[in-house]
Amino acid sequence: MRILVTGAAGFIGSHVGHELSAAGHEVSGLDCLHPSVHPMAGAPGSGDIRDPVAVRSALRGIDAVVHHAALVGLGLSTADIPEYVSCNDLGTAVLLAGMAEAGVRRLVLASSMVIYGEGRYACDRHGTVRPGPRRVADLDAGRFEPPCPHCGQPLAAQLVPEDAPADPRSVYAATKLAQEHLCAAWARQTGSRVVALRYHNVYGPRMPRDTPYAGVASLFRSALERGQPPRVFEDGRQRRDFVHVHDVARANLAALRATGDAADRAGFTAYNICSGEPHTVGEMAAALATAYGGAQPVCTGEYRLGDVRHVVADPALARAELGFAARVPFAEGVSEFARAPLRV
């Protein structure tokens, strides 16, 4: 197949393009080299996904699209909101309109676990609950665990399935959820097939250096490269699922196969893409520091209001329907990442 990868120059997009090419597909890319994501790139790249002319040109002869073009991370301030909405949602809308015009009916969307907000929790008295945003007074006092919204008692974090209610808690999260809604509506209207991959914390070679748009693993790795200890927010016990980028690339290949050609495959389905082996953020920082040979991490007690406490994914649906299961063990992936150069 001829496949267009948007955001092809980015961290994940570049690995996905390589995986698809290795599988025998003909891959082309579209990337504007946004300065906040590619600060050393200089001039704009092959094309901006918000430009209908560039999108129309990129879609000529294409059989399927793998959509990774997006501004990621929490950003700097509310001043970032228009750019997030423009890059992520307007860009997706222009792409979908172009695909409909070109008759391209197969789409893999890079989504994110951030749409869930806080993860899934259980209370001994009230069963499954969804705590609201953590209070500033609690965070200031170092009380980082969200309490039961009904009785205030401690909660137990559980695996988050794909049918968990959406609860985006940052502008980035809201734009990723909007992308999913746009793609689902487009699939229904055009009889197309969309597979959305909700990435959990992706790490690995070619991560960008520490910018406000970088992931936590690259922030830790950048600190170590500067000879500084990784700085871990809160108490370091917040739980995440760290999935290696090589596994994420494989998931894209599996998702592309799942888009199919048959009419009964039309519609929208989302899948958690994760390792299935959760770790705390502090564990990631410590493992990376040890593998790098640098200073051990420092828990600062600081926090960011856009952060959530625990988000740990259920990998069962992706395994059952996509045949995808992560292969890169945490220790092996972290050891490789500790030695891999970061992208500038």
Side-chain angles (χ1 to χ4, degrees):
M1 283 191 298
R2 294 192 62 194
I3 303 166
L4 173 66
V5 178
T6 72
F11 164 46
I12 299 176
S14 63
H15 285 279
V16 169
H18 181 270
E19 182 76 17
L20 298 179
S21 295
H25 297 292
E26 183 180 344
V27 178
S28 61
L30 183 69
D31 199 304
C32 71
L33 300 181
H34 195 287
S36 66
V37 183
H38 305 274
M40 303 298 291
S46 62
D48 194 319
I49 197 171
R50 295 168 289 186
D51 178 359
V53 175
V55 168
R56 191 177 300 118
S57 176
L59 286 169
R60 291 194 186 105
I62 293 297
D63 301 305
V65 175
V66 180
H67 180 29
H68 282 78
L71 195 59
V72 302
L74 290 178
L76 290 169
S77 70
T78 54
D80 283 335
I81 294 175
E83 190 69 359
Y84 269 93
V85 173
S86 177
C87 290
N88 299 359
D89 298 336
L90 175 60
T92 298
V94 172
L95 174 66
L96 295 175
M99 290 178 66
E101 180 182 347
V104 182
R105 297 287 182 262
R106 303 172 67 173
L107 174 64
V108 177
L109 170 68
S111 188
S112 174
M113 58 85 174
V114 295
I115 70 166
Y116 296 126
E118 281 288 351
R120 184 182 179 95
Y121 293 84
C123 172
D124 288 341
R125 291 177 55 190
H126 296 98
T128 300
V129 297
R130 291 190 60 81
R134 295 178 292 173
R135 299 188 311 160
V136 171
D138 287 336
L139 295 171
D140 286 340
R143 295 188 293 268
F144 301 119
E145 295 291 338
C148 175
H150 306 294
C151 65
Q153 294 302 303
L155 298 172
Q158 298 183 319
L159 299 181
V160 182
E162 286 82 354
D163 60 359
D167 185 17
R169 305 220 174 156
S170 68
V171 171
Y172 170 63
T175 64
K176 297 306 287 186
L177 182 59
Q179 281 186 321
E180 287 200 8
H181 288 323
L182 287 168
C183 290
W186 174 82
R188 287 191 297 269
Q189 187 172 351
T190 62
S192 300
R193 175 71 171 141
V194 178
V195 174
L197 304 180
R198 292 174 180 166
Y199 299 150
H200 285 252
N201 288 67
V202 186
Y203 74 99
R206 299 183 215 152
M207 283 196 88
R209 293 187 185 275
D210 52 346
T211 75
Y213 310 94
V216 65
S218 68
L219 298 178
F220 295 158
R221 176 68 171 72
S222 297
L224 290 165
E225 198 167 273
R226 294 192 303 268
Q228 300 171 349
R231 293 174 59 82
V232 182
F233 282 173
E234 303 185 15
D235 58 4
R237 296 177 184 174
Q238 53 272 49
R239 297 172 75 229
R240 298 291 188 269
D241 189 304
F242 295 95
V243 57
H244 197 276
V245 70
H246 291 165
D247 283 327
V248 168
R250 290 179 42 250
N252 276 264
L253 182 58
L256 184 65
R257 291 169 178 154
T259 58
D261 284 324
D264 62 357
R265 298 295 291 167
F268 175 95
T269 312
Y271 298 94
N272 286 325
I273 301 301
C274 57
S275 72
E277 299 180 6
H279 292 270
T280 68
V281 173
E283 287 172 343
M284 163 56 88
L288 191 56
T290 298
Y292 187 85
Q296 286 298 303
V298 174
C299 290
T300 67
E302 299 170 353
Y303 62 86
R304 298 185 301 182
L305 287 176
D307 283 341
V308 296
R309 183 62 174 173
H310 305 296
V311 186
V312 179
D314 188 341
L317 189 64
R319 184 184 301 115
E321 296 190 1
L322 297 182
F324 168 77
R327 296 176 183 171
V328 181
F330 179 75
E332 178 184 317
V334 170
S335 179
E336 176 200 27
F337 180 49
R339 298 186 299 269
L342 295 172
R343 192 181 79 237
V344 293

